[in-house]
């Protein structure tokens, strides 16, 4: 049974700003994303499965790091 004393209220009380969340991302996340995308020939579904995340999470992380599929920026 989960009781109130099992929950860390200090962490839940302070909202996390977007800048802090981006700064907390691992420095090598962009490289992991690129490696998975290249291994899957930029197939988003396959890349997401390789990384163990949803397609939408992968899209958000690609956006965060300024990654676009080759040819989409035309």
């Amino acid at each position: 049974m989960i009781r109130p004393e099992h929950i860390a209220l200090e962490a839940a009380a302070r909202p996390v700003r977007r800048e802090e969340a981006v700064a907390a991302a691992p420095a090598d996340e962009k490289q992991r994303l690129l490696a998975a995308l290249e291994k899957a020939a930029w197939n988003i579904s396959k890349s997401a499965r390789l990384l163990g995340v949803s397609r939408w999470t992968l899209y958000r992380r690609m956006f965060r790091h300024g990654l676009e599929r080759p040819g989409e920026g035309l």
Side-chain angles (χ1 to χ4, degrees), residues 51-72:
L51 294 166
V53 298
S54 72
R55 287 182 303 135
W56 298 114
T57 298
L58 180 55
Y59 278 121
R60 282 191 302 273
R61 290 180 183 176
M62 287 173 63
F63 178 76
R64 179 188 312 154
H65 293 289
L67 299 173
E68 292 182 355
R69 284 183 177 171
E72 280 192 356

Side-chain angles (χ1 to χ4, degrees), residues 2 6-7 28 37-38 43 66:
I2 298 175
H6 296 125
I7 300 172
D28 62 342
L37 288 162
E38 289 172 358
N43 181 302

Side-chain angles (χ1 to χ4, degrees), residues 1-9:
M1 181 174 201
I2 298 175
R3 302 182 64 137
E5 59 267 16
H6 296 125
I7 300 172
L9 298 177

Side-chain angles (χ1 to χ4, degrees), residues 22-52:
V22 170
D28 62 342
E29 180 179 54
K30 184 175 182 178
Q31 293 304 317
R32 287 196 324 263
L33 293 175
L34 280 172
L37 288 162
E38 289 172 358
K39 184 174 183 177
W42 286 82
N43 181 302
I44 300 298
S45 294
K46 289 180 182 179
S47 299
R49 278 194 297 271
L50 286 171
L51 294 166

